[in-house]
Amino acid sequence: MGDVEALAPKLAALATEFEEQVGKRPSLGELLELLGWASHGVYPVPLAFNVKLKGGKRYSSLGRSLVGELNDSIFVDAASFLSAMAKGASGRLLPTSELASSLVLTLKDSRISLEDVAREEVAELTVHTAKKPTKPRIGDVLAIPASGGGYRIASVVARNRFGTALGFIRGRFDVPRPASGERLVVHQFPIYTDDRLVATGAWRVVGHDENLLSLFPAEPEIYHAPDLQWPGIDLGKFGAAEKAAGEIRLIEIDEARAVGLLDGTYRQSYLGELLEQFMESSLDY
């Protein structure tokens, strides 16, 4: 496990930084949420923790989390802390069970004063494993881990017979949310995919913001190339767009070029893993 004596002051410094940024001490839930998001780049997916207190009582965080209001700097510091903790004496990556045990010891040694419970009351941490599949709702905001660290941020725009349509905000984000106060630039065409990686926790729902929906079409279409053999359907000279209700709209050359029909790069939908690969390989994303 990581060196508890050396790591405890760093954890205490994170708690102090939290208080300086939002004006209150972190709750145990907020501190663990911050560390969970910081775990991406160290572990394949961001971690989530379950807590048992002394006496076998299960911990439940009360009130609204302020983690979403933190500045980027604390996420960077949290990632550095967790990376140091996750390295065993041999330099190997600790199993998540050992990481959780080490975190309990470090928390107790840190002299942190939490908002809702005494650190000495924490008896056990375990890494949460989702049992029920999560289905995103329209308006949910997803954080999709990017290779090398950071996240892609997407809004769930629609759910219909084509799949789940995600509208992407341009760029890679150091923290799992769009930068507050900045004008968001989005990709013009939402992408259809499946929900499997949301269900497994690889893609996390990090908020719900229906204001983002206005940045994307309410009923994202799929496109058909003009050379598709579709009996009785005219797909025009440059292709056509189809709504989930079945309505067909012929498109002009500029739209065909923009969506990728002319150069053959357009795909109607992607499996989650293939969508991740596409975003990593595309300079536009």
Side-chain angles (χ1 to χ4, degrees):
M1 297 184 182
D3 185 344
V4 170
E5 186 175 350
L7 289 170
K10 295 182 180 180
L11 186 61
L14 279 177
T16 299
E17 189 175 358
F18 184 104
E19 185 172 5
E20 289 173 348
Q21 289 192 16
V22 300
K24 79 169 191 67
R25 292 173 297 174
S27 68
L28 176 60
E30 288 171 322
L31 183 63
L32 293 176
E33 182 183 352
L34 170 63
L35 293 176
W37 282 115
S39 66
H40 169 51
V42 181
Y43 291 91
V45 298
L47 304 180
F49 298 96
N50 290 327
V51 185
K52 280 188 180 179
L53 303 177
K54 289 183 177 178
K57 182 179 179 182
R58 186 170 294 278
Y59 168 82
S60 179
S61 185
L62 300 177
R64 183 175 71 89
S65 171
L66 297 184
V67 171
E69 298 181 14
L70 296 170
N71 297 331
D72 292 2
S73 60
I74 194 171
F75 285 88
V76 175
D77 293 339
S80 176
F81 164 81
L82 203 83
S83 178
M85 169 166 282
K87 293 180 180 179
S90 65
R92 67 179 178 86
L93 184 67
L94 292 178
T96 55
S97 58
E98 292 186 30
L99 174 81
S101 298
S102 181
L103 185 54
V104 172
L105 297 176
T106 304
L107 177 65
K108 290 182 177 181
D109 198 50
S110 67
R111 301 185 181 181
I112 289 174
S113 179
L114 297 167
E115 182 75 13
D116 54 352
V117 297
R119 67 184 185 278
E120 296 84 0
E121 289 297 306
V122 178
E124 181 184 19
L125 289 180
T126 55
V127 174
H128 171 71
T129 301
K131 294 181 175 60
K132 288 186 176 181
T134 300
K135 291 187 177 181
R137 298 177 297 149
I138 295 173
D140 280 352
V141 180
L142 302 183
I144 299 175
S147 65
Y151 301 87
R152 315 283 185 184
I153 302 297
S155 173
V156 180
V157 177
R159 289 170 55 82
N160 54 45
R161 69 184 179 92
F162 297 146
T164 298
L166 302 183
F168 282 88
I169 298 170
R170 288 184 181 272
R172 184 182 300 212
F173 297 83
D174 291 332
V175 298
R177 54 178 167 77
S180 59
E182 292 187 8
R183 180 177 177 273
L184 301 178
V185 179
V186 302
H187 289 275
Q188 180 181 358
F189 302 104
I191 297 176
Y192 279 99
T193 186
D194 57 81
D195 296 337
R196 290 178 306 103
L197 295 184
V198 178
T200 64
W203 297 357
R204 293 271 295 275
V205 176
V206 294
H208 188 85
D209 187 351
E210 298 197 0
N211 291 326
L212 291 178
L213 296 177
S214 64
L215 302 176
F216 305 98
E219 296 183 68
E221 300 163 303
I222 62 171
Y223 288 83
H224 303 288
D227 57 356
L228 176 67
Q229 300 300 312
W230 198 347
I233 302 295
D234 177 17
L235 297 178
K237 182 178 180 181
F238 302 109
E242 180 185 3
K243 291 185 176 180
E247 179 184 342
I248 301 292
R249 174 179 63 86
L250 301 184
I251 64 174
E252 297 298 329
I253 188 171
D254 288 344
E255 187 172 356
R257 180 181 294 110
V259 79
L261 282 181
L262 294 188
D263 61 10
T265 59
Y266 173 73
R267 292 186 60 166
Q268 291 181 341
S269 64
Y270 290 84
L271 293 176
E273 294 87 351
L274 295 179
L275 178 54
E276 289 183 336
Q277 293 175 22
F278 164 72
M279 288 187 294
E280 293 300 333
S281 63
S282 173
L283 295 177
D284 195 35
Y285 277 79

